[in-house]
Amino acid sequence: MSDHELRVSKIRNGTVIDHVEGGQALNVLAILGIDGSEGLGVSVVMNVPSDRLGRKDVVKVEDRELSQSEVDVLSLIAPEATINIIREFEVAEKNRVTRPDSVSGVLSCPNRNCITNAGEPVETRFDVVADGVRCDYCSTILRTDIAEHIDV
Ligand code: CTP
Ligand code: ZN
């Protein structure tokens, strides 16, 4: 690596979310509920060249692993992402995200008249469709604004 390249430090323990679609890193942090106030070490790299994606973002979160529901929602905005679990500086696990068939209890429906917004004990459920996610109850489709409706 030459002096002209920027190197972001390796981390000792935590999670590296790699191959995130360029420009989505801040939405990744929103999905993880990270805003900096937790005191976790977080590194964000945005729009760096990638052979596979053209441009990619990378998010490194120290001392934190991800839940399956977080990974499910991540897959919707970063379908090519790789989740690397780091332990004592080594990549202990590397997994590609997979798009789930549906996500339950993690997204809120933007339709105010939807049964899921009526104060009833109904868990939200969205089916993953080609162009976004579709509410099971009212068929409202969330497309680009998925990250704004996360409720984890
Ligand atoms: N990484 C890190 N800290 C470590 C080890 C790895 O931050 N202690 C980061 C690397 O910088 C990289 C990602 O975790 O962004 C995956 O590491 P590695 O598997 O070594 O890299 P690649 O082989 O390039 O990964 P891939 O094949 O998934 O592209
Ligand atoms: Zn709905």
Side-chain angles (χ1 to χ4, degrees):
M1 187 175 289
S2 80
D3 290 347
H4 299 273
E5 286 176 279
L6 175 67
R7 182 203 294 261
V8 175
S9 295
K10 298 213 158 192
I11 62 174
R12 179 189 283 271
N13 289 300
T15 304
V16 176
I17 305 152
D18 197 359
H19 307 116
V20 172
E21 188 184 323
Q24 291 293 338
L26 297 182
N27 286 333
V28 168
L29 292 176
I31 287 167
L32 303 183
I34 292 172
D35 67 9
S37 64
E38 307 74 23
L40 297 172
V42 175
S43 311
V44 175
V45 176
M46 294 176 82
N47 294 316
V48 294
S50 158
D51 291 343
R52 231 160 70 195
L53 300 177
R55 301 253 153 200
K56 71 170 182 178
D57 290 0
V58 183
V59 176
K60 303 188 184 193
V61 184
E62 294 176 53
D63 302 315
R64 167 88 140 74
E65 296 193 1
L66 310 189
S67 69
Q68 188 58 49
S69 64
E70 288 172 331
V71 174
D72 282 351
V73 180
L74 268 183
S75 74
L76 304 177
I77 65 155
E80 304 293 324
T82 312
I83 313 281
N84 299 277
I85 311 277
I86 312 297
R87 297 199 180 107
E88 286 303 323
F89 292 108
E90 300 292 330
V91 177
E93 285 176 41
K94 181 187 290 287
N95 292 297
R96 289 282 295 273
V97 300
T98 53
R99 273 165 84 81
D101 295 332
S102 67
V103 286
S104 296
V106 289
L107 295 173
S108 60
C109 184
N111 172 8
R112 285 155 52 96
N113 296 320
C114 181
I115 181 77
T116 59
N117 290 320
E120 303 287 338
V122 178
E123 189 179 56
T124 62
R125 185 182 154 96
F126 287 80
D127 286 329
V128 177
V129 293
D131 54 347
V133 295
R134 186 180 55 217
C135 177
D136 248 23
Y137 295 95
C138 72
S139 299
T140 296
I141 295 189
L142 282 173
R143 293 187 175 84
T144 53
D145 49 351
I146 288 171
E148 284 144 46
H149 293 94
I150 296 151
D151 198 15
V152 267

